[in-house]
mmCIF file of all heavy atoms in Angstrom:
data_model
loop_
_atom_site.group_PDB
_atom_site.id
_atom_site.type_symbol
_atom_site.label_atom_id
_atom_site.label_comp_id
_atom_site.label_asym_id
_atom_site.label_seq_id
_atom_site.Cartn_x
_atom_site.Cartn_y
_atom_site.Cartn_z
ATOM 1 N N LEU A 1094 9.105 278.146 -46.339
ATOM 2 C CA LEU A 1094 8.460 278.762 -47.501
ATOM 3 C C LEU A 1094 7.641 277.744 -48.286
ATOM 4 O O LEU A 1094 6.569 278.070 -48.802
ATOM 5 C CB LEU A 1094 9.509 279.404 -48.405
ATOM 6 C CG LEU A 1094 10.351 280.521 -47.770
ATOM 7 C CD1 LEU A 1094 11.233 281.187 -48.819
ATOM 8 C CD2 LEU A 1094 9.466 281.561 -47.082
ATOM 9 N N GLU A 1095 8.148 276.531 -48.389
ATOM 10 C CA GLU A 1095 7.421 275.490 -49.127
ATOM 11 C C GLU A 1095 6.084 275.158 -48.472
ATOM 12 O O GLU A 1095 5.136 274.738 -49.147
ATOM 13 C CB GLU A 1095 8.261 274.210 -49.217
ATOM 14 C CG GLU A 1095 9.443 274.291 -50.170
ATOM 15 C CD GLU A 1095 10.694 274.839 -49.520
ATOM 16 O OE1 GLU A 1095 10.584 275.492 -48.436
ATOM 17 O OE2 GLU A 1095 11.789 274.647 -50.061
ATOM 18 N N GLN A 1096 5.988 275.319 -47.148
ATOM 19 C CA GLN A 1096 4.780 274.936 -46.426
ATOM 20 C C GLN A 1096 3.678 275.988 -46.500
ATOM 21 O O GLN A 1096 2.558 275.738 -46.045
ATOM 22 C CB GLN A 1096 5.125 274.651 -44.966
ATOM 23 C CG GLN A 1096 5.959 273.397 -44.793
ATOM 24 C CD GLN A 1096 6.313 273.134 -43.340
ATOM 25 O OE1 GLN A 1096 5.785 273.764 -42.436
ATOM 26 N NE2 GLN A 1096 7.217 272.198 -43.114
ATOM 27 N N VAL A 1097 3.978 277.147 -47.069
ATOM 28 C CA VAL A 1097 2.957 278.192 -47.198
ATOM 29 C C VAL A 1097 2.034 277.839 -48.360
ATOM 30 O O VAL A 1097 2.455 277.815 -49.521
ATOM 31 C CB VAL A 1097 3.605 279.575 -47.426
ATOM 32 C CG1 VAL A 1097 2.518 280.633 -47.650
ATOM 33 C CG2 VAL A 1097 4.471 279.959 -46.236
ATOM 34 N N ARG A 1098 0.771 277.566 -48.070
ATOM 35 C CA ARG A 1098 -0.213 277.210 -49.096
ATOM 36 C C ARG A 1098 -0.882 278.482 -49.635
ATOM 37 O O ARG A 1098 -0.877 279.530 -48.980
ATOM 38 C CB ARG A 1098 -1.265 276.263 -48.523
ATOM 39 C CG ARG A 1098 -0.673 274.960 -48.008
ATOM 40 C CD ARG A 1098 0.124 274.250 -49.075
ATOM 41 N NE ARG A 1098 0.746 273.027 -48.595
ATOM 42 C CZ ARG A 1098 1.848 272.502 -49.104
ATOM 43 N NH1 ARG A 1098 2.451 273.112 -50.118
ATOM 44 N NH2 ARG A 1098 2.340 271.384 -48.626
ATOM 45 N N PRO A 1099 -1.492 278.393 -50.819
ATOM 46 C CA PRO A 1099 -2.063 279.603 -51.431
ATOM 47 C C PRO A 1099 -2.984 280.424 -50.539
ATOM 48 O O PRO A 1099 -2.841 281.653 -50.482
ATOM 49 C CB PRO A 1099 -2.779 279.042 -52.667
ATOM 50 C CG PRO A 1099 -1.960 277.853 -53.051
ATOM 51 C CD PRO A 1099 -1.536 277.239 -51.755
ATOM 52 N N PRO A 1100 -3.936 279.813 -49.804
ATOM 53 C CA PRO A 1100 -4.789 280.663 -48.947
ATOM 54 C C PRO A 1100 -3.984 281.408 -47.880
ATOM 55 O O PRO A 1100 -4.254 282.582 -47.597
ATOM 56 C CB PRO A 1100 -5.764 279.666 -48.319
ATOM 57 C CG PRO A 1100 -5.763 278.488 -49.242
ATOM 58 C CD PRO A 1100 -4.369 278.397 -49.773
ATOM 59 N N GLU A 1101 -2.997 280.711 -47.297
ATOM 60 C CA GLU A 1101 -2.172 281.369 -46.280
ATOM 61 C C GLU A 1101 -1.309 282.461 -46.899
ATOM 62 O O GLU A 1101 -1.105 283.529 -46.307
ATOM 63 C CB GLU A 1101 -1.288 280.354 -45.561
ATOM 64 C CG GLU A 1101 -0.500 280.980 -44.406
ATOM 65 C CD GLU A 1101 0.455 280.019 -43.736
ATOM 66 O OE1 GLU A 1101 0.641 278.888 -44.253
ATOM 67 O OE2 GLU A 1101 1.021 280.399 -42.704
ATOM 68 N N LEU A 1102 -0.795 282.205 -48.108
ATOM 69 C CA LEU A 1102 0.023 283.218 -48.776
ATOM 70 C C LEU A 1102 -0.802 284.477 -49.048
ATOM 71 O O LEU A 1102 -0.294 285.598 -48.907
ATOM 72 C CB LEU A 1102 0.588 282.663 -50.082
ATOM 73 C CG LEU A 1102 1.532 283.596 -50.859
ATOM 74 C CD1 LEU A 1102 2.735 283.991 -50.008
ATOM 75 C CD2 LEU A 1102 1.989 282.935 -52.158
ATOM 76 N N THR A 1103 -2.049 284.314 -49.402
ATOM 77 C CA THR A 1103 -2.931 285.473 -49.612
ATOM 78 C C THR A 1103 -3.060 286.283 -48.326
ATOM 79 O O THR A 1103 -2.985 287.515 -48.338
ATOM 80 C CB THR A 1103 -4.316 285.006 -50.091
ATOM 81 O OG1 THR A 1103 -4.166 284.313 -51.338
ATOM 82 C CG2 THR A 1103 -5.251 286.190 -50.277
ATOM 83 N N ARG A 1104 -3.236 285.589 -47.214
ATOM 84 C CA ARG A 1104 -3.355 286.274 -45.919
ATOM 85 C C ARG A 1104 -2.046 286.961 -45.541
ATOM 86 O O ARG A 1104 -2.037 288.131 -45.101
ATOM 87 C CB ARG A 1104 -3.760 285.283 -44.831
ATOM 88 C CG ARG A 1104 -3.871 285.907 -43.444
ATOM 89 C CD ARG A 1104 -4.184 284.860 -42.387
ATOM 90 N NE ARG A 1104 -3.125 283.869 -42.261
ATOM 91 C CZ ARG A 1104 -1.993 284.072 -41.584
ATOM 92 N NH1 ARG A 1104 -1.744 285.240 -41.017
ATOM 93 N NH2 ARG A 1104 -1.102 283.103 -41.511
ATOM 94 N N LEU A 1105 -0.931 286.275 -45.720
ATOM 95 C CA LEU A 1105 0.370 286.846 -45.375
ATOM 96 C C LEU A 1105 0.679 288.055 -46.247
ATOM 97 O O LEU A 1105 1.260 289.044 -45.770
ATOM 98 C CB LEU A 1105 1.454 285.782 -45.534
ATOM 99 C CG LEU A 1105 1.412 284.611 -44.548
ATOM 100 C CD1 LEU A 1105 2.384 283.518 -44.989
ATOM 101 C CD2 LEU A 1105 1.748 285.078 -43.134
ATOM 102 N N THR A 1106 0.312 287.965 -47.511
ATOM 103 C CA THR A 1106 0.526 289.099 -48.413
ATOM 104 C C THR A 1106 -0.262 290.315 -47.940
ATOM 105 O O THR A 1106 0.258 291.444 -47.916
ATOM 106 C CB THR A 1106 0.129 288.729 -49.849
ATOM 107 O OG1 THR A 1106 0.954 287.638 -50.300
ATOM 108 C CG2 THR A 1106 0.289 289.909 -50.792
ATOM 109 N N ALA A 1107 -1.495 290.101 -47.533
ATOM 110 C CA ALA A 1107 -2.310 291.200 -47.026
ATOM 111 C C ALA A 1107 -1.697 291.808 -45.772
ATOM 112 O O ALA A 1107 -1.680 293.037 -45.603
ATOM 113 C CB ALA A 1107 -3.729 290.705 -46.737
ATOM 114 N N GLU A 1108 -1.156 290.969 -44.895
ATOM 115 C CA GLU A 1108 -0.503 291.470 -43.684
ATOM 116 C C GLU A 1108 0.743 292.274 -44.037
ATOM 117 O O GLU A 1108 1.017 293.326 -43.446
ATOM 118 C CB GLU A 1108 -0.138 290.299 -42.773
ATOM 119 C CG GLU A 1108 -1.310 289.554 -42.184
ATOM 120 C CD GLU A 1108 -2.070 290.382 -41.160
ATOM 121 O OE1 GLU A 1108 -1.496 291.340 -40.607
ATOM 122 O OE2 GLU A 1108 -3.254 290.071 -40.923
ATOM 123 N N GLY A 1109 1.513 291.787 -45.011
ATOM 124 C CA GLY A 1109 2.699 292.518 -45.440
ATOM 125 C C GLY A 1109 2.360 293.868 -46.056
ATOM 126 O O GLY A 1109 3.044 294.869 -45.815
ATOM 127 N N LEU A 1110 1.305 293.899 -46.839
ATOM 128 C CA LEU A 1110 0.881 295.158 -47.456
ATOM 129 C C LEU A 1110 0.427 296.161 -46.394
ATOM 130 O O LEU A 1110 0.682 297.368 -46.505
ATOM 131 C CB LEU A 1110 -0.239 294.903 -48.457
ATOM 132 C CG LEU A 1110 0.176 294.162 -49.734
ATOM 133 C CD1 LEU A 1110 -1.052 293.818 -50.568
ATOM 134 C CD2 LEU A 1110 1.159 294.986 -50.558
ATOM 135 N N ARG A 1111 -0.229 295.662 -45.349
ATOM 136 C CA ARG A 1111 -0.637 296.561 -44.269
ATOM 137 C C ARG A 1111 0.578 297.113 -43.532
ATOM 138 O O ARG A 1111 0.630 298.297 -43.195
ATOM 139 C CB ARG A 1111 -1.553 295.824 -43.283
ATOM 140 C CG ARG A 1111 -3.008 295.795 -43.698
ATOM 141 C CD ARG A 1111 -3.900 295.347 -42.557
ATOM 142 N NE ARG A 1111 -3.826 293.904 -42.344
ATOM 143 C CZ ARG A 1111 -4.590 293.021 -42.973
ATOM 144 N NH1 ARG A 1111 -5.466 293.430 -43.861
ATOM 145 N NH2 ARG A 1111 -4.478 291.733 -42.730
ATOM 146 N N LEU A 1112 1.551 296.240 -43.275
ATOM 147 C CA LEU A 1112 2.707 296.654 -42.489
ATOM 148 C C LEU A 1112 3.600 297.626 -43.251
ATOM 149 O O LEU A 1112 4.008 298.667 -42.710
ATOM 150 C CB LEU A 1112 3.515 295.421 -42.070
ATOM 151 C CG LEU A 1112 4.830 295.697 -41.311
ATOM 152 C CD1 LEU A 1112 4.552 296.423 -40.004
ATOM 153 C CD2 LEU A 1112 5.568 294.382 -41.049
ATOM 154 N N TRP A 1113 3.920 297.298 -44.525
ATOM 155 C CA TRP A 1113 4.929 298.072 -45.228
ATOM 156 C C TRP A 1113 4.371 299.088 -46.208
ATOM 157 O O TRP A 1113 5.087 299.997 -46.621
ATOM 158 C CB TRP A 1113 5.884 297.124 -45.952
ATOM 159 C CG TRP A 1113 6.784 296.391 -45.011
ATOM 160 C CD1 TRP A 1113 7.694 296.940 -44.147
ATOM 161 C CD2 TRP A 1113 6.866 294.970 -44.820
ATOM 162 N NE1 TRP A 1113 8.336 295.950 -43.431
ATOM 163 C CE2 TRP A 1113 7.855 294.722 -43.819
ATOM 164 C CE3 TRP A 1113 6.219 293.884 -45.410
ATOM 165 C CZ2 TRP A 1113 8.190 293.453 -43.408
ATOM 166 C CZ3 TRP A 1113 6.555 292.606 -44.982
ATOM 167 C CH2 TRP A 1113 7.536 292.403 -44.000
ATOM 168 N N PHE A 1114 3.100 298.949 -46.565
ATOM 169 C CA PHE A 1114 2.525 299.864 -47.542
ATOM 170 C C PHE A 1114 1.230 300.531 -47.071
ATOM 171 O O PHE A 1114 0.607 301.252 -47.828
ATOM 172 C CB PHE A 1114 2.281 299.134 -48.873
ATOM 173 C CG PHE A 1114 3.547 298.749 -49.584
ATOM 174 C CD1 PHE A 1114 4.160 297.533 -49.327
ATOM 175 C CD2 PHE A 1114 4.121 299.612 -50.496
ATOM 176 C CE1 PHE A 1114 5.338 297.172 -49.965
ATOM 177 C CE2 PHE A 1114 5.304 299.267 -51.144
ATOM 178 C CZ PHE A 1114 5.911 298.056 -50.887
#
Side-chain angles (χ1 to χ4, degrees):
L1094 299 187
E1095 287 87 341
Q1096 291 179 11
V1097 176
R1098 300 304 178 207
E1101 185 184 8
L1102 183 59
T1103 299
R1104 178 184 63 80
L1105 292 170
T1106 299
E1108 293 291 338
L1110 290 173
R1111 276 193 284 272
L1112 176 62
W1113 288 299
F1114 291 89

